Amino acid sequence: MIVLPRLRRMDVTASSEQTEISMAKIDLDSLSIEELAALRDHASDKLAEKVAARQSELEAELDKLAQYGKSVKKSQATPVAKPKKDDLPKSELSADVSRAA
């Protein structure tokens, strides 16, 4: 298990939210590859947790709002893109051309 070095805390004011956020100042140049990879993994995991929690909050809020009026559409899955002509096998391209003629 790789242990990340102790981090110095500093206060940063987020201008868009006007709240104080306690952030760690990290000297990335001093970290080894393993430490950087562990930091990246930890940050990715924490981000995924926060996104999932916020998504749950928003879905709960949408459910509450739905009782007051029109039902609210939840986003649907991303549509599948049609393949480009370049991606189609030549046999399908020749079939398309013969149908068009």
Side-chain angles (χ1 to χ4, degrees), residues 8-81:
R8 204 170 35 133
R9 294 270 177 210
M10 61 184 271
D11 290 327
V12 175
T13 302
S15 60
S16 62
E17 297 176 5
Q18 296 301 318
T19 59
E20 271 194 23
I21 300 171
S22 179
M23 292 181 58
K25 182 169 180 140
I26 303 170
D27 182 11
L28 297 176
D29 291 333
S30 68
L31 298 180
S32 69
I33 293 173
E34 291 82 13
E35 290 169 328
L36 287 169
L39 179 62
R40 179 201 58 211
D41 293 342
H42 181 72
S44 294
D45 291 344
K46 186 56 72 176
L47 179 61
E49 287 175 22
K50 289 188 176 259
V51 167
R54 182 67 176 134
Q55 188 173 5
S56 294
E57 291 170 7
L58 291 172
E59 287 174 354
E61 191 172 341
L62 282 174
D63 289 341
K64 267 194 241 178
L65 291 173
Q67 70 182 346
Y68 296 111
K70 295 180 182 179
S71 63
V72 178
K73 272 188 176 178
K74 288 188 179 180
S75 63
Q76 296 184 3
T78 311
V80 178

Side-chain angles (χ1 to χ4, degrees), residues 87-99:
D87 296 339
L88 292 175
K90 289 184 180 182
S91 61
E92 288 185 33
L93 284 176
S94 60
D96 289 341
V97 171
S98 64
R99 277 187 244 150

